Amino acid sequence: MRVEVDHTRCAAVGRCAGIAPEVFDQREDDGVVILLDAAPPDSDRVREAALLCPAAAIVVHENAAPTPGTPITPRGSHV
Amino acid sequence: MPELKALPIAARAAECPFDPAPELREMLHEDELRRIKVPSPLLGEFEAVAVTRYDDARSLLSDDRLLTGQSLPTQPGNLLSYDGAEHSRLRRMLTGFFTTKRARALRPMIDDVVASRLDALAAAGPGTDLVQAFCAPIPTQVICELLGVPYADREDFRHRAEVALDVNATREEQIQKATDMQAYMAGLVARHRDEPGDNLLGGIVRDHGDELTDIELMGIGNMLLIAGHETITSMLAVAIALLLQHPDQLAIVRDEPSAVDGAVEELLRYCTPATILPRQAAASMCVRGQQIEEGERVVVSILAANRDPRGTGRDLDRLDVRRPPQPHMAFGHGPHQCLGQQLARTELRAALPALFARFPTLRLAVPADEVDYKTTALVFGVRTLPVAW
Ligand code: HEM
């Protein structure tokens, strides 16, 4: 899948970083989203983060092949 | 024009205080946006547009022509007193302190606070009021940590906060304690100015102290106290009262660590303790082809909106702690949405399972229909919650 974030819409409340920390983080100073992986392996948590983003600032493109050079193995821990 | 209906917009159904009042439900299914008369101790009775649909609430709350600042007396440093550029300037100074990572880093401290309250509860024994023994002290202790209130001052701090925020206290008592609290905050800010503490308020002074006046810093401290105390107290109390009446759902919260995050979201959605959000239109605007005039007041019932089934194909009147992810507005929406929401989630995720694990036989010590709910208050809560085990 391919993920896009809109920094100008982001409400900086960190829903995404709570749900899918392997793909989303927040800037230290103002909490705005940091996209750690724009082409993560297929993940329901990423879909959930997009669904629950209170600013609708996350777009997930399904069926997008990982771009060359991006990791295809899952990162982060499953909890 | 027919006479407008007077309706405490925060109203909940008499027979089931978790549900919106029947009038709100009726409005939820009407196409027309209704005006109602809202009785308000702060503003007198006023007329307002009532918003109950999920989509309407979402679009209005993210519209910057709808202001919060005008519907309340101005308090410097309180985010709800500002709108537009002034609001985002102040909010951006604070968001870095309320990230998911910061909330997670506070978890061990919160676990300690919860553990100490569980010990206190065990010592107090069956028959104890859970609000006084558990639900209120947890957020107060957490706020003390965030503001850097020294241990020696905490008992006084708690007492002042409780009276200042207690709806049952007399007006004189409230004003007295609020004045005392103001003086105390002034002292705290002065200490952080001298030597910024290793906590949230200290961090704000360290990073943004040159951009903020002492009055604003005191206002920030007060805002965190007001916003973070009654909401968490109420949410804990009503969620516990609700789960004690749904033992199957309680068992999931108690026994399935992987279900806790989702369960807390469902409880937030279902209870929506901050029941309504007041606004005022800075310009005339349109919702589904209907006009809201400049200057009109608007009240958004996020309680009703969180039950609006349109477009979901789901029964949102049922409590289901295993529900698939369901967006909700219990923390509001748009620029003013709750700054402390990750902290709030962390407190709820820590406190609820720990309580039920420690007291597996916990039960209401009064019949369920005698629980004393605050059914028309802006923040839905219970006055007392006697429990036994
Ligand atoms: C279950 C607990 C909580 C609930 C249900 C809740 C709910 C809300 C809601 C609905 C709003 C939006 C108000 C509006 O738009 O008019 C809000 C705003 C706010 N909340 Fe919370 N809250 C909770 C806990 C907390 C905590 C723990 C803190 C911080 C210690 C906090 C700090 C704030 C602040 C500062 C605002 C104002 C934000 C702004 O105007 O930009 N809240 N909260």
Side-chain angles (χ1 to χ4, degrees):
Chain A
M1 60 186 5
R2 197 163 55 76
V3 183
E4 271 178 73
V5 294
D6 183 340
H7 294 100
T8 59
R9 292 185 77 120
C10 176
V13 295
R15 245 354 226 132
C16 55
I19 295 165
E22 66 281 13
V23 174
F24 307 98
D25 196 358
Q26 289 176 276
R27 297 202 299 234
E28 288 267 325
D29 58 337
D30 63 3
V32 167
V33 62
I34 302 172
L35 183 59
L36 298 173
D37 187 350
D42 190 84
S43 153
D44 279 341
R45 291 199 298 191
V46 173
R47 280 183 204 104
E48 185 178 332
L51 171 72
L52 298 181
C53 172
I58 301 172
V59 181
V60 171
H61 302 276
E62 299 286 349
N63 302 327
T67 44
T70 53
I72 48 164
T73 46
R75 307 200 309 191
S77 60
H78 263 265
V79 279
Chain B
M1 280 285 275
E3 182 65 5
L4 291 182
K5 207 178 230 168
L7 178 67
I9 178 90
R12 292 166 177 265
E15 65 287 0
C16 177
F18 289 89
D19 290 343
E23 293 92 333
L24 287 175
R25 256 185 214 291
E26 227 173 80
M27 285 192 259
L28 187 53
H29 294 290
E30 287 171 357
D31 283 332
E32 191 194 341
L33 276 182
R34 259 212 242 164
R35 266 75 180 164
I36 54 170
K37 274 189 188 160
V38 186
S40 155
L42 207 61
L43 305 164
E45 192 176 62
F46 64 90
E47 196 184 308
V49 179
V51 177
T52 51
R53 289 194 189 195
Y54 189 86
D55 287 344
D56 291 353
R58 241 180 117 98
S59 72
L60 283 169
L61 290 173
S62 51
D63 191 315
D64 56 14
R65 290 169 298 179
L66 215 52
L67 312 180
T68 58
Q70 305 215 322
S71 17
L72 301 160
T74 303
Q75 301 162 329
N78 184 337
L79 283 168
L80 288 166
S81 284
Y82 303 87
D83 286 290
E86 271 184 75
H87 172 262
S88 28
R89 173 182 163 268
L90 182 58
R91 181 149 172 143
R92 211 165 297 139
M93 288 184 213
L94 304 180
T95 41
F97 295 95
F98 288 92
T99 60
T100 295
K101 265 192 192 149
R102 296 267 186 150
R104 236 184 241 140
L106 295 171
R107 179 69 189 253
M109 176 273 287
I110 293 169
D111 284 336
D112 286 349
V113 168
V114 170
S116 76
R117 292 327 303 175
L118 291 172
D119 290 344
L121 189 55
T128 305
D129 170 20
L130 206 60
V131 176
Q132 286 303 317
F134 188 74
C135 308
I138 291 173
T140 314
Q141 290 287 348
V142 170
I143 305 263
C144 283
E145 293 281 345
L146 299 185
L147 299 182
V149 176
Y151 280 98
D153 297 351
R154 288 199 181 173
E155 196 42 41
D156 282 351
F157 184 91
R158 187 186 61 77
H159 182 66
R160 270 192 304 267
E162 271 165 27
V163 178
L165 305 177
D166 181 1
V167 287
N168 299 320
T170 66
R171 187 108 190 97
E172 291 73 44
E173 277 178 307
Q174 280 195 342
I175 292 173
Q176 183 56 48
K177 294 298 173 194
T179 313
D180 293 353
M181 186 55 93
Q182 194 72 1
Y184 187 78
M185 287 288 177
L188 262 188
V189 165
R191 255 179 287 162
H192 284 301
R193 283 275 194 213
D194 246 16
E195 194 181 335
D198 186 16
N199 46 57
L200 186 119
L201 193 58
I204 295 170
V205 171
R206 195 177 306 109
D207 292 358
H208 300 287
D210 52 345
E211 302 160 80
L212 294 164
T213 65
D214 286 355
I215 300 285
E216 286 170 327
L217 285 166
M218 287 158 59
I220 291 171
N222 254 318
M223 165 182 75
L224 297 179
L225 174 64
I226 294 167
H229 173 84
E230 199 189 350
T231 45
I232 296 278
T233 303
S234 300
M235 182 59 207
L236 280 173
V238 297
I240 293 163
L242 180 67
L243 288 171
L244 289 174
Q245 297 169 63
H246 291 84
D248 54 324
Q249 308 266 306
L250 185 151
I252 298 170
V253 174
R254 184 190 56 213
D255 302 334
E256 297 181 29
S258 66
V260 169
D261 290 8
V264 164
E265 293 311 306
E266 173 68 352
L267 290 163
L268 282 161
R269 181 192 73 80
Y270 195 82
C271 301
T272 313
T275 306
I276 64 144
L277 309 181
R279 294 289 190 269
Q280 192 161 18
S284 64
M285 50 202 289
C286 225
V287 190
R288 283 187 289 111
Q290 300 171 69
Q291 193 79 5
I292 296 176
E293 302 298 341
E294 177 180 346
E296 267 199 286
R297 291 185 186 279
V298 177
V299 283
V300 181
S301 172
I302 49 175
L303 170 68
N306 279 339
R307 300 291 187 93
D308 181 0
R310 276 187 196 80
T312 65
R314 292 177 177 173
D315 174 8
L316 296 185
D317 283 321
R318 204 164 50 87
L319 175 74
D320 175 5
V321 297
R322 281 220 187 91
R323 185 183 288 289
Q326 175 66 40
H328 67 76
M329 284 186 286
F331 289 118
H333 184 70
H336 287 281
Q337 70 178 282
C338 184
L339 178 72
Q341 57 183 279
Q342 299 301 358
L343 173 64
R345 290 186 166 101
T346 306
E347 291 185 53
L348 299 170
R349 290 166 183 174
L352 291 171
L355 172 70
F356 300 129
R358 175 77 175 263
F359 301 98
T361 59
L362 195 74
R363 59 185 164 79
L364 294 173
V366 292
D369 58 4
E370 281 173 29
V371 174
D372 192 6
Y373 295 99
K374 307 182 201 170
T375 49
T376 56
L378 287 187
V379 179
F380 173 48
V382 295
R383 288 186 185 82
T384 60
L385 191 62
V387 290
W389 55 88

